[in-house]
Amino acid sequence: MKIELAVGDIRKHRADMIVVNLFEGTKSPGGSTGAVDKAIGGAISAAIRDGDFQGKWGETLFLRPEKGVASHRVLVVGLGKKEKFTPDHIRQLALPVFQLAKKKKLATVASVLHGAGAGGIDPEEAARFLALGAALSGYEYDRYKSEKEGRVSRFQVVEREKAAARKVARGLAHGAKIGEAINWGRDLVASPPGDLRPDGLARAARKIAGGKVRVKVYGRKEAEAWKMGGLIAVGKGSEVSPRLIVAEYRGGRPGSPWTALVGKGVTFDTGGISLKKWEGMEKMKYDMAGGAGMLAAVRAAAALGIRRNIVAIVPAVENMPSGAAYRPGDVLRMMSGKTVEVLSTDAEGRLILADAITFAKKRYRPDVILDAATLTGSCVVALGSVTMGMMGNDAKVLARMREASAASGERAWELPLHEEYLEQIKSDIADLKNIGGPEAGAITAGYFLKEFAGETPWVHLDIAGVAWREKEKMGYAPGPTGVPVRLLVEFLRREGTGA
Ligand code: BES
Ligand code: ZN
Ligand code: ZN
C-alpha cells in the first residue's frame, strides 16, 4: 500500500472514499469536515442535529453524497472527547476505516489529518501516527488464503495548507517506515510453527542485512563452545538445533556504545516434557514475538537512520518433548557460570534469554540491555491484554522507557523487583531454579533475568498478554500486534538524537 500526501481541497479530491472527523459534542463542524458538510448539503450537521451521530470515540457515519464532493463516499469518524484525545488515538482510528474499505472493496482512501486541527497535535506527529495506523490496519496475513481479498492500494492524506505539507510528508514517511518493519515482524509471528522453526527464523532475519545492518547466525557448535547451557538444553528436544541470531546496526559513531535488544525466539513452545495442555497450544507459535519484535526494531532503526549502534540478539529454539529433551530435575550450567535447576521445562524462555543476555554483555559491553519476551502466563493474569509488564534494575532507563511508552502509546506498566523475591528462585542444589512457585510469577521470571543482567542497566518487557490479540481491541485487529516495536523505536530514537 502506498501512503502519500496530497495537497489540496478534500472536497475536490477523487478517491473511493474520503474520511473526515468530528469531536464529540461538536454542534456545527468546522475545518475540512465543515467544508465537506456544506458541500454535500449539510448531511453531517443534520445527522448531529437528529442524534444519529455524536462524534463519540469509535463511532462512524457513512454517507453517499450524490454531488458536492468529487468522491462518492464520505466517512465521518468520531474522535471522542477532545480532552482525552492522544496521538495514539489517531493510529487506532485507522482500523474501522480500513475495515469498511475492505468490506466495500475500495482501492483508494483519502483522509484528513486527524487531531492536527482542533486536536492541537503537531502535524508531523499526527501524520506519523496516521501513517502507522494505515500501515498496521492495512495488514493481513493471507498467505494461506486461496482467495485473497482486495486491499486498499493507496492511502492519501489530504492537507489543505501548503505550509504544513513538508511536516506532514515527513511524518507520513516516518510512520510508514515503522509500519513496514512491524508488518514484516507480524508475518513471522503469524507463520505456522512448522513453517518457521529456528533455522527458518534465522533465514528470515538474514533478509534485514544490507546497508548498515549485518546479520550473523550461530549454531549448536558455537553455543557449545560458549557453554550456553540454557540455549542448548531447551533446544535438545527438537530435530532443529538452536540458533543464535545477531543483527548489528551501526548507526552510531564508530566506537560509541551498543544498545542490546534481546528477544525470546521460541518458535514453538509445547512446554517440552512439562507438556502444555492441548487447548490453545497452537498459539504458542507466537512465543517468538519478542525475537521478531527486536529484529523488526533493528529494521525500523535502519530505515529511519537512527544514530545509535543497536544489536538485536535472538536465541531461537523449538521447545519440544522427545527422548533427547531436557528434563525437570536437570541442572544446567549457564554461559555466565551460574547453575540452574530445571523444575519445569515449560519455563524455557528465561533459560535461553539468560544466555543471550550473558552473550550480549560479553560480546558487546552494551550500556543498556532491553529484552522482550512472551515470558509468563502470570503477566497475562496480572495485567491482561491492556499493557505489557516492565521490570528493570536502573531507575533512569526505566524512566526513559516510561517516557517512550507515553509518547508511542504502547503501554508498559512497571512491576517491582524487590530483593525479597530472590528467595523464591533459590534452589537447594544449584544457584537458581527456573520457577518461583505460584506467587508473583511474572516478577520471579523477571528476577531470574536480573541475576544475569547483573550491573548492566537492563529493562525487561513481558509481552505475553499483548503480542497477540484474540479479539479486536485498542485499534488492533485479531492476530499479531507488533508490540513492542513502536515503544522500542521511540526509545531508540530519543537516545539516538539525544532528545
Ligand atoms: N511461553 C510461555 C508464556 C506464555 C503464556 C506466553 C501465555 C503467552 C501466553 C512460557 O514459556 C511459559 O510456559 N511460562 C510458564 C512458566 C511457568 C511454568 C513458571 C507459565 O507462564 O505458565
Ligand atoms: Zn514455556
Ligand atoms: Zn515460552
Side-chain angles (χ1 to χ4, degrees):
M1 177 178 50
K2 273 209 178 111
I3 297 176
E4 57 196 20
L5 170 72
V7 181
D9 185 335
I10 194 154
R11 290 171 297 189
K12 298 192 186 120
H13 193 86
R14 212 175 272 280
D16 293 328
M17 180 165 80
I18 57 170
V19 184
V20 292
N21 61 45
L22 198 79
F23 275 111
E24 186 177 341
T26 311
K27 289 279 175 299
S28 72
S32 296
T33 308
V36 169
D37 182 41
K38 283 198 192 76
I40 62 175
I44 301 172
S45 31
I48 300 169
R49 186 192 60 221
D50 298 344
D52 288 323
F53 185 71
Q54 293 160 309
K56 286 210 164 96
W57 173 241
E59 201 184 0
T60 54
L61 172 71
F62 181 73
L63 300 166
R64 221 181 170 301
E66 279 297 305
K67 49 179 190 267
V69 285
S71 303
H72 294 305
R73 300 177 192 86
V74 175
L75 184 69
V76 194
V77 294
L79 304 181
K81 293 204 166 72
K82 203 185 278 182
E83 320 83 77
K84 280 195 168 177
F85 198 76
T86 67
D88 194 56
H89 283 89
I90 303 170
R91 172 195 63 85
Q92 297 190 32
L93 274 174
L95 190 63
V97 172
F98 276 76
Q99 282 169 337
L100 187 74
K102 185 177 152 191
K103 212 168 89 190
K104 296 189 178 296
K105 299 187 170 37
L106 310 180
T108 57
V109 174
S111 175
V112 296
L113 185 56
H114 310 297
I121 294 168
D122 172 63
E124 183 170 343
E125 193 178 17
R128 180 152 44 88
F129 278 85
L130 185 53
L132 248 171
L136 298 181
S137 303
Y139 169 85
E140 196 179 350
Y141 184 73
D142 60 2
R143 177 150 187 217
Y144 287 102
K145 291 264 193 209
S146 303
E147 276 172 43
K148 318 253 188 240
E149 292 176 47
R151 291 194 197 180
V152 173
S153 57
R154 192 168 267 208
F155 181 77
Q156 298 167 314
V157 174
V158 184
E159 174 58 51
R160 262 186 315 184
E161 287 169 39
K162 276 214 180 77
R166 265 188 54 190
K167 277 186 131 193
V168 175
R170 213 182 309 139
L172 289 178
H174 187 127
K177 280 176 189 164
I178 302 179
E180 189 280 330
I182 293 178
N183 287 342
W184 175 84
R186 286 164 105 189
D187 264 343
L188 299 178
V189 178
S191 290
D195 284 10
L196 194 92
R197 299 172 83 188
D199 53 341
L201 186 56
R203 215 173 308 121
R206 285 189 197 279
K207 298 212 179 98
I208 64 175
K212 291 181 178 168
V213 180
R214 219 165 74 184
V215 177
K216 287 186 257 178
V217 178
Y218 304 104
R220 191 169 40 203
K221 266 205 198 118
E222 287 97 344
E224 273 164 10
W226 296 330
K227 299 191 167 67
M228 295 181 142
L231 185 68
I232 293 163
V234 177
K236 264 174 34 183
S238 171
E239 283 175 8
V240 179
S241 60
R243 300 289 191 280
L244 186 74
I245 304 164
V246 179
E248 292 176 351
Y249 164 65
R250 289 171 197 269
R253 275 176 280 104
S256 65
W258 290 94
T259 300
L261 307 178
V262 176
K264 175 175 175 182
V266 177
T267 60
F268 193 54
D269 183 10
T270 66
I273 297 299
S274 314
L275 196 64
K276 288 181 182 293
K277 65 173 194 291
W278 67 271
E279 218 178 358
M281 199 198 274
E282 76 286 351
K283 268 179 233 122
M284 282 301 114
K285 70 174 183 179
Y286 85 82
D287 215 17
M288 34 60 74
M294 291 320 197
L295 294 170
V298 165
R299 194 179 167 93
L304 296 172
I306 290 177
R307 290 201 290 276
R308 188 115 189 126
N309 292 335
I310 302 162
V311 58
I313 299 169
V314 180
V317 288
E318 189 180 38
N319 189 18
M320 298 291 268
S322 90
Y326 79 131
R327 324 150 184 78
D330 281 352
V331 173
L332 316 176
R333 190 174 288 280
M334 311 290 282
M335 186 184 188
S336 76
K338 278 196 195 331
T339 55
V340 177
E341 182 187 9
V342 176
L343 291 192
S344 168
T345 61
D346 196 11
E348 82 296 344
R350 66 199 75 182
L351 299 173
I352 63 168
L353 290 169
D355 278 342
I357 287 171
T358 305
F359 175 83
K361 280 173 40 175
K362 290 202 168 153
R363 184 59 85 90
Y364 292 93
R365 308 207 168 282
D367 60 359
V368 55
I369 300 176
L370 309 178
D371 85 70
T374 46
L375 203 60
T376 66
S378 166
C379 191
V380 191
V381 172
L383 302 172
S385 57
V386 173
T387 174
M388 66 186 102
M390 172 168 87
M391 285 148 260
N393 62 1
D394 186 284
K396 273 199 199 127
V397 184
L398 280 164
R400 294 214 296 271
M401 279 302 258
R402 267 194 298 276
E403 283 164 22
S405 168
S408 67
E410 272 191 355
R411 293 202 181 111
W413 191 261
E414 193 181 346
L415 301 173
L417 291 180
H418 299 307
E419 245 172 53
E420 289 83 351
Y421 289 111
L422 176 60
E423 271 168 45
Q424 283 176 249
I425 52 168
K426 278 197 171 150
S427 159
D428 293 334
I429 64 164
D431 299 333
L432 296 168
K433 56 186 181 189
N434 77 332
I435 63 174
E439 292 180 2
I443 292 176
T444 50
Y447 210 107
F448 184 92
L449 299 179
K450 177 173 125 107
E451 288 298 290
F452 293 86
E455 300 301 308
T456 306
W458 151 87
V459 172
H460 159 59
L461 304 171
D462 192 332
I463 56 169
V466 293
W468 187 278
R469 295 221 93 90
E470 286 306 304
K471 287 191 216 120
E472 179 191 320
K473 193 172 169 173
M474 295 163 83
Y476 294 108
T481 59
V483 176
V485 180
R486 293 194 290 129
L487 167 64
L488 294 168
V489 171
E490 185 61 33
F491 179 90
L492 296 167
R493 199 164 75 93
R494 286 160 175 253
E495 302 282 291
T497 54

